[in-house]
Amino acid sequence: MTRTLKELHTEVVEAAGLLTDAISGGLEAFVASLRDRAVVDWRIYRIAEWRCRVPSVELAKVPSIDWASLANLRVRLAHRFHTIDPVQMFVFSAMHVPKLRHALAKQLNE
């Protein structure tokens, strides 16, 4: 178990509840709510930022995650925020964050 993967896992776990609440009303409610969209954008950005801090050798221990896509999403959130599609963020929150949480937990428990 490495400290950096553990910290990334902690960030994902902390974000998971907020993300779940933000998308719980469904896609239409999420797109209409600037607050929920801001919560999701910020927490996904934080997760992606942690990804940048974890050494590649550590990320390689969790090959089931598409780390390059997460890095690209971080760049878009940081530098082209106005181009972010709320539907993409909704899907990322609903599909990829739970997968990331599970994959990291599995790696940390081995």
Side-chain angles (χ1 to χ4, degrees):
M1 180 168 62
T2 64
R3 185 171 185 245
T4 53
L5 281 178
K6 184 177 181 183
E7 289 172 341
L8 175 58
H9 181 252
T10 300
E11 184 68 38
V12 171
V13 169
E14 289 176 1
L18 294 171
L19 295 173
T20 299
D21 288 346
I23 66 173
S24 65
L27 180 59
E28 287 184 31
F30 175 75
V31 171
S33 173
L34 291 176
R35 180 197 171 280
D36 289 342
R37 289 170 40 197
V39 166
V40 167
D41 290 350
W42 176 244
R43 296 310 289 209
I44 298 298
Y45 178 82
R46 285 180 52 102
I47 290 168
E49 211 25 58
W50 265 109
R51 175 260 171 245
C52 294
R53 295 179 183 173
V54 176
S56 297
V57 69
E58 296 300 318
L59 297 177
K61 294 178 180 178
V62 192
S64 62
I65 301 301
D66 183 359
W67 297 112
S69 292
L70 187 56
N72 290 337
L73 183 56
R74 182 229 166 264
V75 169
R76 288 188 58 215
L77 284 166
H79 301 289
R80 294 187 299 273
F81 186 80
H82 61 284
T83 68
I84 297 296
D85 179 10
V87 175
Q88 178 188 14
M89 298 306 288
F90 181 90
V91 170
F92 192 90
S93 296
M95 303 289 292
H96 298 288
V97 171
K99 179 181 175 182
L100 178 61
R101 182 180 181 179
H102 175 74
L104 288 169
K106 184 178 175 185
Q107 173 61 35
L108 293 172
N109 288 329
E110 290 180 352

